[in-house]
Amino acid sequence: MDSKQRIIMGIDPGTQILGYGVILVDDKKCHYVDMGVIDLRKETDHFQKLKRINCEVGELLEKYTPDDLAIEAPFYGKNPQVMLKLGRAQGAAIAAALQKDIPIFEYAPRKVKMAITGQGAASKEQVKTILERTMDVTLDIKFLDASDALAIAMCHFYQLKNPLSDTSASTSWKSFVAAHSDRIIK
């Protein structure tokens, strides 16, 4: 990660409540900027919800001008229709970032919880509590979707700080040396 400051926006996509969180990071620490929700519960038409997500996320991107957008990946639950709707909401938010040429990074819910709390099955309340301690702030919020979005941004910060912590990456020395041959002293 560069030593310059960067702004990361996290998005917790939803078709009822979409959470967002914004942090400012430097090479050592992250600082809370803002968080909130886009409340879509009064919108009855699904396609109008997607339009609102795209427009309002676009406005947030203009307001905060993030260097990166970190977004939660849809997860498979009991109802495939829910996953489809969440995927559409995620796509509307992603499209807003693509229109502004903002790099997008996707994280699975379990990876976010693991990065923040050390437990992939942590509750939303546990995530919020750890965030408060980590950033030394009190997050007085009505919806935990906002603190989840903040956690997604923090997860991305941790990934930037330590890209080798990615458990999906190969852990073999041979792969590491091949990928980083410029670091080898001959």
Side-chain angles (χ1 to χ4, degrees):
M1 184 169 112
D2 296 345
S3 61
K4 72 173 187 107
Q5 292 184 332
R6 65 193 299 123
I7 296 171
I8 301 171
M9 179 180 287
I11 297 282
D12 181 17
T15 57
Q16 298 297 317
I17 304 288
L18 179 139
Y20 68 90
V22 183
I23 59 175
L24 171 69
V25 300
D26 54 36
D27 56 352
K28 295 181 181 167
K29 192 173 178 186
C30 70
H31 310 275
Y32 171 83
V33 174
D34 194 14
M35 67 181 193
V37 297
I38 299 171
D39 190 342
L40 302 158
R41 293 175 295 175
K42 291 183 181 176
E43 193 71 59
T44 56
D45 182 83
H46 183 69
F47 296 108
Q48 288 303 310
K49 285 183 182 193
L50 298 176
K51 181 179 178 180
R52 268 195 61 204
I53 290 169
N54 184 266
C55 290
E56 292 190 36
V57 168
E59 290 170 8
L60 290 168
L61 294 171
E62 290 214 9
K63 179 177 180 179
Y64 295 107
T65 61
D67 296 289
D68 297 330
L69 178 81
I71 193 163
E72 188 174 78
F75 60 93
Y76 180 75
K78 294 177 182 174
N79 185 345
Q81 285 297 320
V82 171
M83 187 172 133
L84 177 63
K85 288 179 181 179
L86 284 175
R88 288 177 174 173
Q90 182 201 44
I94 287 172
L98 289 172
Q99 291 166 350
K100 298 185 182 328
D101 292 321
I102 297 171
I104 301 154
F105 301 86
E106 184 178 52
Y107 296 98
R110 289 185 65 82
K111 179 169 180 128
V112 172
K113 291 176 181 181
M114 181 65 81
I116 302 304
T117 69
Q119 294 181 324
S123 70
K124 290 177 176 282
E125 291 80 6
Q126 288 172 315
V127 170
K128 176 186 169 285
T129 300
I130 297 294
L131 287 173
E132 289 176 323
R133 290 181 186 161
T134 303
M135 290 191 280
D136 195 26
V137 295
T138 300
L139 304 176
D140 183 22
I141 54 172
K142 186 175 178 181
F143 298 105
L144 291 171
D145 304 84
S147 58
D148 282 353
L150 203 59
I152 295 162
M154 285 286 294
C155 176
H156 182 61
F157 167 62
Y158 292 147
Q159 189 66 34
L160 289 173
K161 261 179 64 172
N162 186 9
L164 294 179
S165 68
D166 184 0
T167 56
S168 67
S170 171
T171 55
S172 80
W173 281 108
K174 184 176 181 180
S175 298
F176 179 84
V177 170
H180 303 284
S181 59
D182 58 318
R183 295 185 181 182
I184 306 298
I185 300 173
K186 295 180 183 180

